[in-house]
Amino acid sequence: AVRLSSKEMSSSRVMQFAMRRLATSAALPVITRAARTSLPSAFATPPARHMAIGINSASYLTPGFKPHEGTHIPEEVELWPAMSWDEGVAAGFPHHGYEHIFAGKKIVLFSVPGAFTGVCEKAHVPSYSKNVEAFKAKGVDMVICVAVNDPYVMNAWAKSMGDGAKGIQFYADMRRELTKYMHMDTSLKAAGLGPGKRSQRYCMLVEDGIIKIIREEKDPGDLKVTSGDALLAEMK
């Protein structure tokens, strides 16, 4: 029988432990992928193209860059239309991409820090709802409200406002794709909005994916340059 020194035995145990860990870790991806396939598509790990805004977009990563008038909305952006949970289940948790929202369309989009919050509900949304027809008279196809919430909260919020939200399409930027690209993400935990970052208050006119007008409030609690009246006055 071959006798091993204590040093050799120690090395052997380390090697055996490493081989067991390697074998275990090699099996994990198979289990994980199988588990993911059983989840609704909205909750599965997003395809790599969803991460393009944060990884592959040179403009997003350029120091000091911030979208401005003339900037093109990236085609990777996806937003979730407001819906109830049951509607989501029945429809397969749909989300709308660039082609559905921006391509070939004239869009008024305003973003709010959060659903069911003071300025957003009492002033910002109504300022657009009352001007929907005036926007359409200027060739606008859709007036969209966006917030970093889930689509179910956005749905409940829109319904709770009744006529105060009439004519507006509500969308959830639940992955913060648009918010991050626009460099509008901000922490509002001091106001109880969390758990992650939310959106600054801003508005823009977008034609065929190109930003024509964009305005941002200095403070998310302000409503001075991003109201429906203010944007309408700037449109030719």
Side-chain angles (χ1 to χ4, degrees):
V2 177
R3 298 180 61 86
L4 299 176
S5 67
S6 58
K7 183 176 181 179
E8 290 172 327
M9 289 178 67
S10 177
S11 297
S12 177
R13 292 192 185 100
V14 169
M15 181 62 71
Q16 290 173 9
F17 176 76
M19 292 300 290
R20 286 198 300 271
R21 289 296 300 271
L22 182 61
T24 303
S25 62
L28 283 175
V30 177
I31 297 171
T32 303
R33 284 196 294 270
R36 281 205 301 266
T37 57
S38 66
L39 290 171
S41 60
F43 299 99
T45 300
R49 72 184 192 87
H50 288 311
M51 303 306 294
I53 296 169
I55 295 175
N56 298 324
S57 177
S59 59
Y60 178 84
L61 296 175
T62 302
F65 170 82
K66 189 168 185 177
H68 48 78
E69 293 168 1
T71 299
H72 200 288
I73 301 295
E75 295 185 6
E76 293 87 357
V77 165
E78 290 185 337
L79 300 172
W80 271 252
M83 69 185 100
S84 69
W85 175 264
D86 289 341
E87 289 170 341
V89 171
F93 300 98
H95 45 271
H96 293 169
Y98 175 90
E99 289 294 323
H100 183 96
I101 301 172
F102 297 105
K105 298 183 180 70
K106 189 173 184 177
I107 303 297
V108 162
L109 184 151
F110 66 102
S111 185
V112 299
F116 294 103
T117 56
V119 176
C120 305
E121 181 170 325
K122 293 180 173 61
H124 206 180
V125 171
S127 78
Y128 280 87
S129 181
K130 72 177 185 179
N131 284 308
V132 166
E133 293 306 317
F135 282 124
K136 287 184 177 180
K138 289 183 177 290
V140 171
D141 296 294
M142 285 193 296
V143 177
I144 295 174
C145 176
V146 175
V148 180
N149 280 112
D150 61 61
Y152 320 115
V153 168
M154 295 298 282
N155 181 65
W157 186 39
K159 287 186 175 181
S160 74
M161 288 185 284
D163 288 343
K166 187 177 180 180
I168 298 175
Q169 304 295 314
F170 286 78
Y171 277 89
D173 187 13
M174 70 178 199
R175 289 182 182 145
R176 289 193 297 122
E177 291 183 350
L178 179 62
T179 303
K180 286 190 292 184
Y181 179 79
M182 296 302 297
H183 286 235
M184 293 291 183
D185 47 343
T186 184
S187 175
L188 296 173
K189 290 182 180 179
L193 294 175
K197 289 186 175 182
R198 294 300 186 103
S199 173
Q200 174 62 284
R201 190 184 305 281
Y202 69 96
C203 71
M204 56 184 177
L205 173 66
V206 183
E207 294 186 27
D208 195 22
I210 298 174
I211 299 172
K212 296 297 184 179
I213 300 174
I214 182 168
R215 296 292 179 264
E216 175 187 358
E217 298 291 351
K218 291 182 178 180
D219 185 279
D222 290 341
L223 187 61
K224 299 175 181 177
V225 299
T226 65
S227 69
D229 296 311
L231 181 58
L232 186 63
E234 290 198 60
M235 291 174 61
K236 297 179 180 180

PDB file of all heavy atoms in Angstrom, residues 16-48:
ATOM      1  N   GLN A  16     -10.117  16.698  -4.240  1.00  0.00           N
ATOM      2  CA  GLN A  16     -11.410  16.019  -4.242  1.00  0.00           C
ATOM      3  C   GLN A  16     -12.543  17.004  -3.996  1.00  0.00           C
ATOM      4  O   GLN A  16     -13.601  16.948  -4.632  1.00  0.00           O
ATOM      5  CB  GLN A  16     -11.412  14.918  -3.173  1.00  0.00           C
ATOM      6  CG  GLN A  16     -10.514  13.744  -3.505  1.00  0.00           C
ATOM      7  CD  GLN A  16     -10.417  12.758  -2.354  1.00  0.00           C
ATOM      8  OE1 GLN A  16     -11.158  12.884  -1.372  1.00  0.00           O
ATOM      9  NE2 GLN A  16      -9.516  11.793  -2.469  1.00  0.00           N
ATOM     10  N   PHE A  17     -12.338  17.939  -3.071  1.00  0.00           N
ATOM     11  CA  PHE A  17     -13.357  18.948  -2.758  1.00  0.00           C
ATOM     12  C   PHE A  17     -13.614  19.831  -3.976  1.00  0.00           C
ATOM     13  O   PHE A  17     -14.752  20.116  -4.342  1.00  0.00           O
ATOM     14  CB  PHE A  17     -12.893  19.800  -1.574  1.00  0.00           C
ATOM     15  CG  PHE A  17     -13.833  20.937  -1.247  1.00  0.00           C
ATOM     16  CD1 PHE A  17     -15.029  20.704  -0.591  1.00  0.00           C
ATOM     17  CD2 PHE A  17     -13.524  22.235  -1.631  1.00  0.00           C
ATOM     18  CE1 PHE A  17     -15.887  21.747  -0.296  1.00  0.00           C
ATOM     19  CE2 PHE A  17     -14.366  23.274  -1.345  1.00  0.00           C
ATOM     20  CZ  PHE A  17     -15.561  23.037  -0.665  1.00  0.00           C
ATOM     21  N   ALA A  18     -12.528  20.215  -4.639  1.00  0.00           N
ATOM     22  CA  ALA A  18     -12.658  21.075  -5.810  1.00  0.00           C
ATOM     23  C   ALA A  18     -13.413  20.352  -6.924  1.00  0.00           C
ATOM     24  O   ALA A  18     -14.245  20.946  -7.619  1.00  0.00           O
ATOM     25  CB  ALA A  18     -11.285  21.526  -6.302  1.00  0.00           C
ATOM     26  N   MET A  19     -13.117  19.053  -7.106  1.00  0.00           N
ATOM     27  CA  MET A  19     -13.787  18.294  -8.157  1.00  0.00           C
ATOM     28  C   MET A  19     -15.271  18.143  -7.856  1.00  0.00           C
ATOM     29  O   MET A  19     -16.116  18.211  -8.750  1.00  0.00           O
ATOM     30  CB  MET A  19     -13.131  16.906  -8.300  1.00  0.00           C
ATOM     31  CG  MET A  19     -11.698  16.941  -8.843  1.00  0.00           C
ATOM     32  SD  MET A  19     -11.616  17.691 -10.493  1.00  0.00           S
ATOM     33  CE  MET A  19     -12.432  16.421 -11.451  1.00  0.00           C
ATOM     34  N   ARG A  20     -15.617  17.943  -6.551  1.00  0.00           N
ATOM     35  CA  ARG A  20     -17.038  17.840  -6.183  1.00  0.00           C
ATOM     36  C   ARG A  20     -17.756  19.148  -6.450  1.00  0.00           C
ATOM     37  O   ARG A  20     -18.874  19.174  -6.957  1.00  0.00           O
ATOM     38  CB  ARG A  20     -17.174  17.433  -4.719  1.00  0.00           C
ATOM     39  CG  ARG A  20     -16.843  15.971  -4.450  1.00  0.00           C
ATOM     40  CD  ARG A  20     -17.414  15.532  -3.099  1.00  0.00           C
ATOM     41  NE  ARG A  20     -16.871  16.311  -1.992  1.00  0.00           N
ATOM     42  CZ  ARG A  20     -15.762  15.997  -1.332  1.00  0.00           C
ATOM     43  NH1 ARG A  20     -15.062  14.911  -1.680  1.00  0.00           N
ATOM     44  NH2 ARG A  20     -15.341  16.742  -0.323  1.00  0.00           N
ATOM     45  N   ARG A  21     -17.114  20.277  -6.107  1.00  0.00           N
ATOM     46  CA  ARG A  21     -17.732  21.591  -6.337  1.00  0.00           C
ATOM     47  C   ARG A  21     -17.902  21.860  -7.826  1.00  0.00           C
ATOM     48  O   ARG A  21     -18.911  22.402  -8.265  1.00  0.00           O
ATOM     49  CB  ARG A  21     -16.877  22.706  -5.719  1.00  0.00           C
ATOM     50  CG  ARG A  21     -16.888  22.748  -4.208  1.00  0.00           C
ATOM     51  CD  ARG A  21     -18.290  23.063  -3.690  1.00  0.00           C
ATOM     52  NE  ARG A  21     -18.764  24.347  -4.176  1.00  0.00           N
ATOM     53  CZ  ARG A  21     -18.539  25.499  -3.538  1.00  0.00           C
ATOM     54  NH1 ARG A  21     -17.846  25.524  -2.403  1.00  0.00           N
ATOM     55  NH2 ARG A  21     -19.012  26.630  -4.026  1.00  0.00           N
ATOM     56  N   LEU A  22     -16.893  21.452  -8.601  1.00  0.00           N
ATOM     57  CA  LEU A  22     -16.966  21.656 -10.036  1.00  0.00           C
ATOM     58  C   LEU A  22     -18.108  20.857 -10.639  1.00  0.00           C
ATOM     59  O   LEU A  22     -18.868  21.342 -11.477  1.00  0.00           O
ATOM     60  CB  LEU A  22     -15.641  21.251 -10.691  1.00  0.00           C
ATOM     61  CG  LEU A  22     -15.541  21.453 -12.213  1.00  0.00           C
ATOM     62  CD1 LEU A  22     -15.718  22.927 -12.543  1.00  0.00           C
ATOM     63  CD2 LEU A  22     -14.209  20.938 -12.729  1.00  0.00           C
ATOM     64  N   ALA A  23     -18.251  19.612 -10.182  1.00  0.00           N
ATOM     65  CA  ALA A  23     -19.329  18.767 -10.701  1.00  0.00           C
ATOM     66  C   ALA A  23     -20.680  19.345 -10.330  1.00  0.00           C
ATOM     67  O   ALA A  23     -21.628  19.340 -11.116  1.00  0.00           O
ATOM     68  CB  ALA A  23     -19.181  17.339 -10.147  1.00  0.00           C
ATOM     69  N   THR A  24     -20.793  19.859  -9.082  1.00  0.00           N
ATOM     70  CA  THR A  24     -22.059  20.443  -8.627  1.00  0.00           C
ATOM     71  C   THR A  24     -22.393  21.700  -9.407  1.00  0.00           C
ATOM     72  O   THR A  24     -23.513  21.875  -9.879  1.00  0.00           O
ATOM     73  CB  THR A  24     -21.979  20.790  -7.121  1.00  0.00           C
ATOM     74  OG1 THR A  24     -21.654  19.606  -6.399  1.00  0.00           O
ATOM     75  CG2 THR A  24     -23.313  21.350  -6.639  1.00  0.00           C
ATOM     76  N   SER A  25     -21.414  22.593  -9.557  1.00  0.00           N
ATOM     77  CA  SER A  25     -21.663  23.851 -10.254  1.00  0.00           C
ATOM     78  C   SER A  25     -21.962  23.623 -11.727  1.00  0.00           C
ATOM     79  O   SER A  25     -22.699  24.373 -12.339  1.00  0.00           O
ATOM     80  CB  SER A  25     -20.470  24.805 -10.117  1.00  0.00           C
ATOM     81  OG  SER A  25     -19.316  24.233 -10.708  1.00  0.00           O
ATOM     82  N   ALA A  26     -21.402  22.559 -12.314  1.00  0.00           N
ATOM     83  CA  ALA A  26     -21.649  22.282 -13.724  1.00  0.00           C
ATOM     84  C   ALA A  26     -23.101  21.905 -13.953  1.00  0.00           C
ATOM     85  O   ALA A  26     -23.660  22.129 -15.023  1.00  0.00           O
ATOM     86  CB  ALA A  26     -20.729  21.168 -14.206  1.00  0.00           C
ATOM     87  N   ALA A  27     -23.734  21.303 -12.924  1.00  0.00           N
ATOM     88  CA  ALA A  27     -25.127  20.891 -13.070  1.00  0.00           C
ATOM     89  C   ALA A  27     -26.101  22.034 -12.846  1.00  0.00           C
ATOM     90  O   ALA A  27     -27.223  21.998 -13.311  1.00  0.00           O
ATOM     91  CB  ALA A  27     -25.440  19.759 -12.086  1.00  0.00           C
ATOM     92  N   LEU A  28     -25.664  23.067 -12.140  1.00  0.00           N
ATOM     93  CA  LEU A  28     -26.568  24.147 -11.782  1.00  0.00           C
ATOM     94  C   LEU A  28     -27.184  24.870 -12.966  1.00  0.00           C
ATOM     95  O   LEU A  28     -28.384  25.134 -12.959  1.00  0.00           O
ATOM     96  CB  LEU A  28     -25.854  25.156 -10.867  1.00  0.00           C
ATOM     97  CG  LEU A  28     -25.688  24.709  -9.417  1.00  0.00           C
ATOM     98  CD1 LEU A  28     -24.863  25.748  -8.655  1.00  0.00           C
ATOM     99  CD2 LEU A  28     -27.041  24.496  -8.752  1.00  0.00           C
ATOM    100  N   PRO A  29     -26.404  25.243 -14.004  1.00  0.00           N
ATOM    101  CA  PRO A  29     -27.023  25.959 -15.116  1.00  0.00           C
ATOM    102  C   PRO A  29     -28.176  25.219 -15.756  1.00  0.00           C
ATOM    103  O   PRO A  29     -29.140  25.824 -16.170  1.00  0.00           O
ATOM    104  CB  PRO A  29     -25.868  26.151 -16.102  1.00  0.00           C
ATOM    105  CG  PRO A  29     -24.632  26.108 -15.246  1.00  0.00           C
ATOM    106  CD  PRO A  29     -24.953  25.116 -14.173  1.00  0.00           C
ATOM    107  N   VAL A  30     -28.088  23.872 -15.814  1.00  0.00           N
ATOM    108  CA  VAL A  30     -29.161  23.086 -16.406  1.00  0.00           C
ATOM    109  C   VAL A  30     -30.417  23.233 -15.580  1.00  0.00           C
ATOM    110  O   VAL A  30     -31.509  23.452 -16.086  1.00  0.00           O
ATOM    111  CB  VAL A  30     -28.752  21.600 -16.511  1.00  0.00           C
ATOM    112  CG1 VAL A  30     -29.908  20.789 -17.049  1.00  0.00           C
ATOM    113  CG2 VAL A  30     -27.522  21.464 -17.395  1.00  0.00           C
ATOM    114  N   ILE A  31     -30.279  23.144 -14.254  1.00  0.00           N
ATOM    115  CA  ILE A  31     -31.429  23.275 -13.365  1.00  0.00           C
ATOM    116  C   ILE A  31     -32.014  24.675 -13.466  1.00  0.00           C
ATOM    117  O   ILE A  31     -33.223  24.858 -13.553  1.00  0.00           O
ATOM    118  CB  ILE A  31     -31.009  22.980 -11.915  1.00  0.00           C
ATOM    119  CG1 ILE A  31     -30.524  21.532 -11.796  1.00  0.00           C
ATOM    120  CG2 ILE A  31     -32.158  23.237 -10.950  1.00  0.00           C
ATOM    121  CD1 ILE A  31     -29.891  21.202 -10.458  1.00  0.00           C
ATOM    122  N   THR A  32     -31.135  25.656 -13.484  1.00  0.00           N
ATOM    123  CA  THR A  32     -31.596  27.045 -13.528  1.00  0.00           C
ATOM    124  C   THR A  32     -32.343  27.338 -14.818  1.00  0.00           C
ATOM    125  O   THR A  32     -33.393  27.949 -14.812  1.00  0.00           O
ATOM    126  CB  THR A  32     -30.397  28.016 -13.408  1.00  0.00           C
ATOM    127  OG1 THR A  32     -29.697  27.714 -12.200  1.00  0.00           O
ATOM    128  CG2 THR A  32     -30.858  29.449 -13.363  1.00  0.00           C
ATOM    129  N   ARG A  33     -31.813  26.886 -15.961  1.00  0.00           N
ATOM    130  CA  ARG A  33     -32.494  27.119 -17.225  1.00  0.00           C
ATOM    131  C   ARG A  33     -33.846  26.438 -17.259  1.00  0.00           C
ATOM    132  O   ARG A  33     -34.826  26.987 -17.742  1.00  0.00           O
ATOM    133  CB  ARG A  33     -31.632  26.618 -18.389  1.00  0.00           C
ATOM    134  CG  ARG A  33     -30.461  27.536 -18.731  1.00  0.00           C
ATOM    135  CD  ARG A  33     -29.901  27.188 -20.096  1.00  0.00           C
ATOM    136  NE  ARG A  33     -29.300  25.858 -20.110  1.00  0.00           N
ATOM    137  CZ  ARG A  33     -28.030  25.636 -19.826  1.00  0.00           C
ATOM    138  NH1 ARG A  33     -27.237  26.627 -19.499  1.00  0.00           N
ATOM    139  NH2 ARG A  33     -27.541  24.410 -19.853  1.00  0.00           N
ATOM    140  N   ALA A  34     -33.903  25.219 -16.716  1.00  0.00           N
ATOM    141  CA  ALA A  34     -35.173  24.497 -16.701  1.00  0.00           C
ATOM    142  C   ALA A  34     -36.202  25.236 -15.865  1.00  0.00           C
ATOM    143  O   ALA A  34     -37.373  25.330 -16.214  1.00  0.00           O
ATOM    144  CB  ALA A  34     -34.962  23.072 -16.160  1.00  0.00           C
ATOM    145  N   ALA A  35     -35.746  25.771 -14.723  1.00  0.00           N
ATOM    146  CA  ALA A  35     -36.665  26.506 -13.852  1.00  0.00           C
ATOM    147  C   ALA A  35     -37.155  27.766 -14.536  1.00  0.00           C
ATOM    148  O   ALA A  35     -38.317  28.132 -14.429  1.00  0.00           O
ATOM    149  CB  ALA A  35     -35.962  26.859 -12.537  1.00  0.00           C
ATOM    150  N   ARG A  36     -36.259  28.436 -15.278  1.00  0.00           N
ATOM    151  CA  ARG A  36     -36.645  29.689 -15.925  1.00  0.00           C
ATOM    152  C   ARG A  36     -37.703  29.463 -16.999  1.00  0.00           C
ATOM    153  O   ARG A  36     -38.577  30.299 -17.198  1.00  0.00           O
ATOM    154  CB  ARG A  36     -35.422  30.360 -16.548  1.00  0.00           C
ATOM    155  CG  ARG A  36     -34.559  31.090 -15.554  1.00  0.00           C
ATOM    156  CD  ARG A  36     -33.783  32.184 -16.261  1.00  0.00           C
ATOM    157  NE  ARG A  36     -32.935  31.675 -17.332  1.00  0.00           N
ATOM    158  CZ  ARG A  36     -31.654  31.367 -17.178  1.00  0.00           C
ATOM    159  NH1 ARG A  36     -31.071  31.529 -16.019  1.00  0.00           N
ATOM    160  NH2 ARG A  36     -30.953  30.913 -18.187  1.00  0.00           N
ATOM    161  N   THR A  37     -37.631  28.321 -17.687  1.00  0.00           N
ATOM    162  CA  THR A  37     -38.572  28.093 -18.777  1.00  0.00           C
ATOM    163  C   THR A  37     -39.987  27.914 -18.262  1.00  0.00           C
ATOM    164  O   THR A  37     -40.941  28.062 -19.022  1.00  0.00           O
ATOM    165  CB  THR A  37     -38.174  26.853 -19.591  1.00  0.00           C
ATOM    166  OG1 THR A  37     -38.105  25.705 -18.723  1.00  0.00           O
ATOM    167  CG2 THR A  37     -36.833  27.053 -20.272  1.00  0.00           C
ATOM    168  N   SER A  38     -40.158  27.599 -16.974  1.00  0.00           N
ATOM    169  CA  SER A  38     -41.497  27.420 -16.422  1.00  0.00           C
ATOM    170  C   SER A  38     -42.115  28.730 -15.970  1.00  0.00           C
ATOM    171  O   SER A  38     -43.282  28.792 -15.632  1.00  0.00           O
ATOM    172  CB  SER A  38     -41.450  26.441 -15.237  1.00  0.00           C
ATOM    173  OG  SER A  38     -40.709  27.015 -14.167  1.00  0.00           O
ATOM    174  N   LEU A  39     -41.347  29.830 -15.977  1.00  0.00           N
ATOM    175  CA  LEU A  39     -41.861  31.126 -15.551  1.00  0.00           C
ATOM    176  C   LEU A  39     -42.511  31.860 -16.708  1.00  0.00           C
ATOM    177  O   LEU A  39     -42.137  31.662 -17.855  1.00  0.00           O
ATOM    178  CB  LEU A  39     -40.715  31.996 -15.011  1.00  0.00           C
ATOM    179  CG  LEU A  39     -40.100  31.573 -13.684  1.00  0.00           C
ATOM    180  CD1 LEU A  39     -38.856  32.416 -13.427  1.00  0.00           C
ATOM    181  CD2 LEU A  39     -41.080  31.722 -12.545  1.00  0.00           C
ATOM    182  N   PRO A  40     -43.500  32.735 -16.406  1.00  0.00           N
ATOM    183  CA  PRO A  40     -44.031  33.603 -17.468  1.00  0.00           C
ATOM    184  C   PRO A  40     -42.905  34.417 -18.070  1.00  0.00           C
ATOM    185  O   PRO A  40     -41.955  34.781 -17.381  1.00  0.00           O
ATOM    186  CB  PRO A  40     -45.030  34.488 -16.707  1.00  0.00           C
ATOM    187  CG  PRO A  40     -45.381  33.723 -15.474  1.00  0.00           C
ATOM    188  CD  PRO A  40     -44.148  32.960 -15.111  1.00  0.00           C
ATOM    189  N   SER A  41     -43.011  34.726 -19.345  1.00  0.00           N
ATOM    190  CA  SER A  41     -41.926  35.415 -20.043  1.00  0.00           C
ATOM    191  C   SER A  41     -41.552  36.732 -19.393  1.00  0.00           C
ATOM    192  O   SER A  41     -40.405  37.147 -19.430  1.00  0.00           O
ATOM    193  CB  SER A  41     -42.320  35.658 -21.501  1.00  0.00           C
ATOM    194  OG  SER A  41     -43.498  36.455 -21.563  1.00  0.00           O
ATOM    195  N   ALA A  42     -42.520  37.429 -18.772  1.00  0.00           N
ATOM    196  CA  ALA A  42     -42.225  38.736 -18.181  1.00  0.00           C
ATOM    197  C   ALA A  42     -41.282  38.623 -16.998  1.00  0.00           C
ATOM    198  O   ALA A  42     -40.630  39.593 -16.622  1.00  0.00           O
ATOM    199  CB  ALA A  42     -43.523  39.413 -17.743  1.00  0.00           C
ATOM    200  N   PHE A  43     -41.215  37.423 -16.381  1.00  0.00           N
ATOM    201  CA  PHE A  43     -40.396  37.253 -15.197  1.00  0.00           C
ATOM    202  C   PHE A  43     -39.132  36.464 -15.453  1.00  0.00           C
ATOM    203  O   PHE A  43     -38.299  36.309 -14.575  1.00  0.00           O
ATOM    204  CB  PHE A  43     -41.212  36.565 -14.089  1.00  0.00           C
ATOM    205  CG  PHE A  43     -42.408  37.357 -13.683  1.00  0.00           C
ATOM    206  CD1 PHE A  43     -43.663  37.065 -14.173  1.00  0.00           C
ATOM    207  CD2 PHE A  43     -42.280  38.438 -12.833  1.00  0.00           C
ATOM    208  CE1 PHE A  43     -44.774  37.807 -13.810  1.00  0.00           C
ATOM    209  CE2 PHE A  43     -43.378  39.188 -12.460  1.00  0.00           C
ATOM    210  CZ  PHE A  43     -44.624  38.868 -12.950  1.00  0.00           C
ATOM    211  N   ALA A  44     -38.979  35.926 -16.647  1.00  0.00           N
ATOM    212  CA  ALA A  44     -37.768  35.198 -16.993  1.00  0.00           C
ATOM    213  C   ALA A  44     -36.614  36.174 -17.176  1.00  0.00           C
ATOM    214  O   ALA A  44     -36.818  37.368 -17.359  1.00  0.00           O
ATOM    215  CB  ALA A  44     -37.985  34.385 -18.277  1.00  0.00           C
ATOM    216  N   THR A  45     -35.395  35.644 -17.105  1.00  0.00           N
ATOM    217  CA  THR A  45     -34.232  36.502 -17.332  1.00  0.00           C
ATOM    218  C   THR A  45     -34.326  37.112 -18.721  1.00  0.00           C
ATOM    219  O   THR A  45     -34.519  36.397 -19.696  1.00  0.00           O
ATOM    220  CB  THR A  45     -32.938  35.682 -17.227  1.00  0.00           C
ATOM    221  OG1 THR A  45     -32.867  35.116 -15.923  1.00  0.00           O
ATOM    222  CG2 THR A  45     -31.719  36.564 -17.472  1.00  0.00           C
ATOM    223  N   PRO A  46     -34.253  38.444 -18.842  1.00  0.00           N
ATOM    224  CA  PRO A  46     -34.425  39.082 -20.144  1.00  0.00           C
ATOM    225  C   PRO A  46     -33.323  38.690 -21.109  1.00  0.00           C
ATOM    226  O   PRO A  46     -32.194  38.440 -20.695  1.00  0.00           O
ATOM    227  CB  PRO A  46     -34.347  40.585 -19.816  1.00  0.00           C
ATOM    228  CG  PRO A  46     -33.569  40.652 -18.542  1.00  0.00           C
ATOM    229  CD  PRO A  46     -33.948  39.420 -17.787  1.00  0.00           C
ATOM    230  N   PRO A  47     -33.638  38.629 -22.402  1.00  0.00           N
ATOM    231  CA  PRO A  47     -32.609  38.344 -23.407  1.00  0.00           C
ATOM    232  C   PRO A  47     -31.527  39.402 -23.368  1.00  0.00           C
ATOM    233  O   PRO A  47     -31.719  40.489 -22.840  1.00  0.00           O
ATOM    234  CB  PRO A  47     -33.395  38.401 -24.736  1.00  0.00           C
ATOM    235  CG  PRO A  47     -34.826  38.193 -24.350  1.00  0.00           C
ATOM    236  CD  PRO A  47     -34.959  38.786 -22.987  1.00  0.00           C
ATOM    237  N   ALA A  48     -30.399  39.075 -23.975  1.00  0.00           N
ATOM    238  CA  ALA A  48     -29.258  39.989 -23.928  1.00  0.00           C
ATOM    239  C   ALA A  48     -29.591  41.354 -24.515  1.00  0.00           C
ATOM    240  O   ALA A  48     -29.075  42.366 -24.080  1.00  0.00           O
ATOM    241  CB  ALA A  48     -28.081  39.380 -24.687  1.00  0.00           C
TER     242      ALA A  48
END
